[in-house]
Amino acid sequence: YAANSILYNRGIYPEEQFSKVRKYGIPMLLIQDEAVKAYISSITSQLAEWLGCGKLQRIVLVIMSKASSEVLERWNFNIETDEEVVLKGVSREKSDKEIMREIQVIMRQIASSITYLPCLDEPCTFEILAYTDRDLSVPVTWLESDARLIKNAQVVKLHSFDTRIHRVGTL
């Protein structure tokens, strides 16, 4: 949902390519382009597997210029996994309502960030990067990538959220 929100709010795809749904108690927009949906779906299913075994450390959505491939933005979602929960299967106490409220805050911050981020005045594309443990087997359809860093980058820290298993910090 965060990827869809970023793609919509940063104007990576036209508004008419999104449809409205209600998730986490707030309205959100989801991309309807079949190729983009398939890309995001295949990535999120793999990320869910890595999250479940505590092997995922960071997800980065990178926005780049279509013409030059210059990296224009990096949306970082840093993930800390409670190893005890993964090893013992005992989750921490936290209500679904609290988790939902924290996710709502992040989604609202993503949407409101367009007020202070520069306009993207050129056609853009995106990639999703996954930072995992080194010993992890990576599917053959995934490629190694550089970090897609931005020189002299400015960083804006958004709220974090905490589930019973993971803590996610957003930059």
Side-chain angles (χ1 to χ4, degrees):
Y1 292 100
N4 278 274
S5 182
I6 292 165
L7 297 176
Y8 174 78
N9 285 295
R10 298 307 288 142
I12 307 305
Y13 295 96
E15 184 176 348
E16 58 271 6
Q17 289 192 13
F18 291 83
S19 66
K20 192 179 279 192
V21 297
R22 191 156 188 84
K23 187 69 176 173
Y24 305 113
I26 56 175
M28 292 197 215
L29 293 157
L30 294 180
I31 189 80
Q32 294 306 300
D33 179 280
E34 290 301 324
V36 178
K37 280 172 54 174
Y39 173 70
I40 291 173
S41 178
S42 70
I43 287 174
T44 53
S45 64
Q46 181 62 61
L47 295 177
E49 182 181 320
W50 289 336
L51 266 174
C53 62
K55 300 290 186 179
L56 186 62
Q57 298 152 1
R58 181 183 317 155
I59 302 166
V60 180
L61 187 142
V62 179
I63 297 175
M64 303 170 298
S65 163
K66 270 189 181 178
S68 67
S69 295
E70 176 189 2
V71 176
L72 304 173
E73 293 180 5
R74 285 175 44 99
W75 293 79
N76 292 284
F77 299 87
N78 298 316
I79 301 163
E80 297 173 25
T81 302
D82 186 330
E83 295 298 326
E84 184 179 6
V85 172
V86 173
L87 295 173
K88 296 180 181 175
V90 179
S91 64
R92 292 175 278 144
E93 290 297 317
K94 188 162 194 176
S95 73
D96 288 344
K97 187 176 181 178
E98 286 177 281
I99 295 169
M100 186 182 303
R101 190 177 70 246
E102 290 175 359
I103 292 172
Q104 287 172 348
V105 168
I106 289 178
M107 297 307 290
R108 286 185 178 116
Q109 279 192 314
I110 290 170
S112 69
S113 68
I114 61 170
T115 60
Y116 55 84
L117 290 173
C119 290
L120 297 173
D121 293 333
E122 60 184 297
C124 294
T125 188
F126 77 102
E127 288 182 353
I128 298 175
L129 310 179
Y131 290 73
T132 63
D133 291 358
R134 291 203 179 270
D135 64 345
L136 196 64
S137 168
V138 178
V140 293
T141 56
W142 286 57
L143 303 172
E144 284 286 325
S145 171
D146 64 57
R148 306 276 197 251
L149 298 174
I150 301 172
K151 292 177 183 154
N152 303 315
Q154 295 179 17
V155 177
V156 176
K157 186 171 172 50
L158 303 178
H159 280 276
S160 60
F161 72 94
D162 199 355
T163 68
R164 294 175 194 94
I165 303 167
H166 303 96
R167 179 168 177 73
V168 180
T170 311
L171 300 172

